[in-house]
């Protein structure tokens, strides 16, 4: 069943949209947004629709758009409401926006210099709007005696943060002079489309009804403002649902191109339809982490961020802060940040388009791109065999950038082929405040899993504070989420290391997961229910270095998979997938520097392919500040410098020729950070790159 999200700003708009839906149920987002979900039934198809009233303003519209996408994962987005007419339109007409100009974007000097930014509605929805406007079937939803009949315009509009109330307004003159093809003006469309821009496989459009004519042709004595608002809302929603009733998700142009477009010079915006990014936040963060420090500073400057707003932490931490800023900055979103990244480092755009080809419509939605994944047959087979066992618990662990998340996707795809239900949940989606309170965290966890299963939130019926958070969470799963499914449920929890970092919840949550696994393998009355649940727990071991522990918080439970490094044959396969015809000797040279770490190898392949760097130069500069691995190494160094004991121990490893013996607690942490390998009871440096770099960066006094 296709899914749509429809956002509105005002109560009158919301009610007009709500009238088209049946079987409405309330859904409350963990951050407070109240949605209603219902069905829109037509002769051709049935849509599952979520609606919300979010208030006025582009910034709020952008935030709520991102939130609704992350929470509901729709196919289509619509913003439906009212607008003021600038030209050509009359009261009651409808405008389906082709473009929304963010007219307040510019530079202020002695005068204001506009720097136009444009949000574009999806091509497929614009074409459908034009078709429905010509056929006029939507008018059947309105009163037959309506005179004059409203018209539909498919044209540009403008959006800003100010209400234009007079024909003598300076803003109106500014719009006429700089955006003279805009026929209406409103306050949310630009923020809405800017946020949707980062999700190219989701189609978005803004549809507005005209309730007010800026140049003073309104007669409140004949038709008061509240009546005009209701009429405009009614007309806009009627046309919006007409478009939705005829729109086929499979006809979306974002899925019809079978090959990436050739790289074009960057303009003020990106054609995101050619960038099928499944997880925009994680994708942009990965690009930021690949930039050299000087490039990262350039991005910060070009994106107009004061350095005082950012911490002096590692480049990785600054990258995370930059993404948060991108979501909070007025009228901004990740797509604009991505534009800046591509401007500073053009090779990143080439990498994106080569490694993220657009899916052909005949391909299944979970068909994997073998250009970005090297198979580990033994590991994958173990995972596939484990996940079909009743009550299974599979734990995938490795340092960062070893391919854990991509392996999860494959395992979940295998589970779906068995007819299982699947839920993938990353704790990166959790608000920071939730990590500090066990009750909030458990309720968030229950709510999100239920939402992913399309089940109404029933926490109030199953939660009794006196029983405690772990008991209530167990009861919610046992009596509600698992009880109502006849299929096995595979629940994949990614980035669980974020939970490990918060002592207020980590111990209890890990014990909760252990207890669920234990209940599945004990022969009591509830075992059969818990055998439906198959847990996949995925975490980075890098966090071990900063925790006061000497063993994994989930050690000894379920099957543990330590992702191995790539062997020479696999690394050569990865080179070939990148279009590099490497012989065994070249593979050996690269592995002598970075070992079998897929992330470090891929960085080298990218620079060789897109920047014409040679392998010889990479090998020569790798451990210097001019090398391609600077960001990666600085992150490791920052973590070591926070623990003098770890820094001292690792310096001992990198400065001695033979493997050394260390305290077991230090070995556990350094191995988790991906810095050492074990050779019997002794430790040796993981790769030559680390030896060269850290032997000169860790001071002797450490």
């Amino acid at each position: 069943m296709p899914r749509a999200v429809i956002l509105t700003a005002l109560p009158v708009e919301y009610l007009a949209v709500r009238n088209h839906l049946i079987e409405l149920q309330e859904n409350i987002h963990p951050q407070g947004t109240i949605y209603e979900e219902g069905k829109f039934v037509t002769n051709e198809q049935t849509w599952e629709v979520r609606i919300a009233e979010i208030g006025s303003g582009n910034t709020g519209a952008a935030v709520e758009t991102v939130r609704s996408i992350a929470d509901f994962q729709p196919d289509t987005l619509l913003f439906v409401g009212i607008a003021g007419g600038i030209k050509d339109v009359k009261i009651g007409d409808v405008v389906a926006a082709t473009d929304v100009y963010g007219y307040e974007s510019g530079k202020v000097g002695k005068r204001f210099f506009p720097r136009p930014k444009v949000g574009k509605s999806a091509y497929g929805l614009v074409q459908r709007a034009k078709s429905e406007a010509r056929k006029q079937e939507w008018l059947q939803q309105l009163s037959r005696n309506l005179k004059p009949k409203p018209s539909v315009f498919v044209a540009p509009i403008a959006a800003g943060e100010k209400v234009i109330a007079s024909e003598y307004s300076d803003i109106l003159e500014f719009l006429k002079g700089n955006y003279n093809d805009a026929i209406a003006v409103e306050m949310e469309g630009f923020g809405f489309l800017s946020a949707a821009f980062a999700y190219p496989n989701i189609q978005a459009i803004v549809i507005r009804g005209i309730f007010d004519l800026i140049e003073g042709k309104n007669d409140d004595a004949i038709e008061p403002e509240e009546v005009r608002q209701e009429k405009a809302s009614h007309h806009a929603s009627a046309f919006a649902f007409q478009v939705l009733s005829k729109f086929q998700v499979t006809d979306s142009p974002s899925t019809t191109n079978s090959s990436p477009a050739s790289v074009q010079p960057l303009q003020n915006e990106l054609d995101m339809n050619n960038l099928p990014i499944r997880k925009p936040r994680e994708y942009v963060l990965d690009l930021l982490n690949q930039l050299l420090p000087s490039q990262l500073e350039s991005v910060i400057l070009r994106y107009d961020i004061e350095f005082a707003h950012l911490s002096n932490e590692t480049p990785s931490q600054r990258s995370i802060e930059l993404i948060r800023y991108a979501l909070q900055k007025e009228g901004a979103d990740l797509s604009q940040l991505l534009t800046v990244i591509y401007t500073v480092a053009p090779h990143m755009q080439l990498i994106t388009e080569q490694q993220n080809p657009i899916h052909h419509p005949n391909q299944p939605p979970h068909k994997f791109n073998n250009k970005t994944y090297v198979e580990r047959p033994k590991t994958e087979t173990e995972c596939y065999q484990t996940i079909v066992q009743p009550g299974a618990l599979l734990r995938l662990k490795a340092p960062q950038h070893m391919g854990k998340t991509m392996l999860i996707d494959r395992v979940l795809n295998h589970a779906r082929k068995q007819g299982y239900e699947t839920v993938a949940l990353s704790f990166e989606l959790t608000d920071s405040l939730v990590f500090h309170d066990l009750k909030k965290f458990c309720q968030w966890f229950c709510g999100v899993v239920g939402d992913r299963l399309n089940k109404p939130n029933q926490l109030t019926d199953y939660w009794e504070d006196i029983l405690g958070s772990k008991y209530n969470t167990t009861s919610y799963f046992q009596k509600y989420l698992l009880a109502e499914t006849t299929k096995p449920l595979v629940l994949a929890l990614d980035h669980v290391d974020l939970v490990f970092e918060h002592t207020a919840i980590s111990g209890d949550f890990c014990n909760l997961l252990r207890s669920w696994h234990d209940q599945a393998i004990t022969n009591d009355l509830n075992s059969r229910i818990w055998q439906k649940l198959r847990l996949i727990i995925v975490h980075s071991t890098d966090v071990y270095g900063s925790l006061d522990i000497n063993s994994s918080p989930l050690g000894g439970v379920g099957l543990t998979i330590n992702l191995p490094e790539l062997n020479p044959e696999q690394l050569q396969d990865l080179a070939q997938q990148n279009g590099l015809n490497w012989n065994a000797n070249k593979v050996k040279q690269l592995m002598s520097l970075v070992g079998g770490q897929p992330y470090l190898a891929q960085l080298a392949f990218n620079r060789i392919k897109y920047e014409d760097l040679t392998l010889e130069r990479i090998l020569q500069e790798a451990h210097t500040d001019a090398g391609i691995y600077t960001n990666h190494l600085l992150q490791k160094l920052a973590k070591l410098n926070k623990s003098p004991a770890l820094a001292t121990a690792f310096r001992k490893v990198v400065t001695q020729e033979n493997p050394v013996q260390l305290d077991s607690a230090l070995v556990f942490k350094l191995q988790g950070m991906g810095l050492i390998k074990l050779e019997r009871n002794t430790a040796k440096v993981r790769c030559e790159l680390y030896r060269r770099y850290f032997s000169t960066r860790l001071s002797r006094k450490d």
Side-chain angles (χ1 to χ4, degrees), residues 61-112:
V63 171
E64 292 294 348
T65 301
V66 172
R67 183 176 295 166
S68 64
I69 290 172
D71 195 50
F72 193 58
Q73 299 179 358
D75 303 292
T76 305
L77 293 166
L78 295 91
F79 203 105
V80 178
I82 61 177
I86 298 177
K87 65 175 186 178
D88 301 337
V89 294
K90 63 182 180 294
I91 301 296
D93 282 350
V94 174
V95 181
T98 56
D99 308 274
V100 180
Y101 300 126
Y103 67 77
E104 292 182 304
S105 173
K107 180 179 180 180
V108 178
K110 292 183 179 179
R111 63 187 182 88
F112 182 76

Side-chain angles (χ1 to χ4, degrees), residues 481-497:
L481 297 182
L482 293 175
E484 294 195 2
T485 181
T486 58
K487 303 177 182 178
L489 167 63
V490 180
L491 175 57
L493 307 178
D494 200 2
H495 297 287
V496 180
D497 43 287

Side-chain angles (χ1 to χ4, degrees), residues 164-387:
I164 304 176
S166 169
E167 62 182 303
Y168 303 108
S169 165
D170 290 339
I171 297 177
L172 181 60
E173 292 305 311
F174 173 79
L175 290 175
K176 287 182 176 180
N178 294 278
Y179 304 95
N180 59 14
D181 59 340
I183 66 173
V185 61
E186 42 96 307
M187 298 175 66
E188 298 82 28
F190 177 70
F192 167 75
L193 289 178
S194 294
F197 197 42
Y199 301 85
N201 292 329
I202 300 177
Q203 304 290 288
I205 193 169
V206 175
I207 296 177
R208 297 286 185 175
I210 302 300
F211 86 101
D212 183 50
L213 300 177
I214 306 300
E215 296 194 285
K217 298 178 183 177
N218 308 309
D219 190 340
D220 287 348
I222 297 176
E223 203 168 42
E225 180 174 338
E226 57 268 25
V227 174
R228 299 198 308 270
Q229 286 189 349
E230 185 175 354
K231 176 194 290 186
S233 299
H234 179 46
H235 292 183
S237 62
F239 184 72
F241 278 97
Q242 178 68 23
V243 169
L244 200 62
S245 71
K246 301 294 185 179
F247 184 68
Q248 298 293 325
V249 172
T250 54
D251 291 341
S252 162
S254 69
T255 62
T256 57
N257 295 325
S258 59
S259 60
S262 59
V263 180
Q264 301 294 329
L266 286 173
Q267 305 298 324
N268 288 333
E269 59 186 85
L270 292 171
D271 182 6
M272 297 294 284
N273 284 331
N274 287 329
L275 300 175
I277 300 167
R278 292 176 56 199
K279 300 179 180 179
R281 182 185 180 280
E282 293 90 336
Y283 173 79
V284 175
L285 179 60
D286 185 60
L287 289 188
L288 286 168
N289 285 333
Q290 292 186 49
L291 296 177
L292 298 173
S294 60
Q295 292 174 323
L296 183 58
E297 306 303 343
S298 296
V299 169
I300 292 169
L301 286 170
R302 286 173 179 256
Y303 200 64
D304 193 27
I305 299 178
E306 294 181 20
F307 280 86
H309 292 165
L310 296 177
S311 70
N312 291 319
E313 293 289 339
T314 65
S316 177
Q317 183 60 36
R318 297 181 74 166
S319 298
I320 293 171
E321 293 179 16
L322 189 58
I323 285 179
R324 289 174 179 164
Y325 185 87
L327 293 177
Q328 296 169 358
K329 186 179 178 185
E330 183 174 337
D333 70 279
L334 288 178
S335 65
Q336 296 174 12
L337 178 56
L338 191 58
T339 303
V340 176
I341 294 172
Y342 287 168
T343 303
V344 170
H347 72 281
M348 294 294 188
Q349 186 180 16
L350 290 165
I351 294 170
T352 298
E353 297 187 355
Q354 291 294 325
Q355 295 191 345
N356 293 280
I358 297 173
H359 291 303
H360 190 277
N362 292 329
Q363 289 180 341
H366 297 287
K367 187 177 179 71
F368 293 92
N369 174 17
N370 60 12
K371 290 189 177 182
T372 61
Y373 185 83
V374 176
E375 294 188 2
R376 297 177 171 100
K378 181 180 177 182
T379 300
E380 291 161 10
T381 299
E382 279 190 286
C383 294
Y384 297 161
Q385 291 175 346
T386 300
I387 211 63

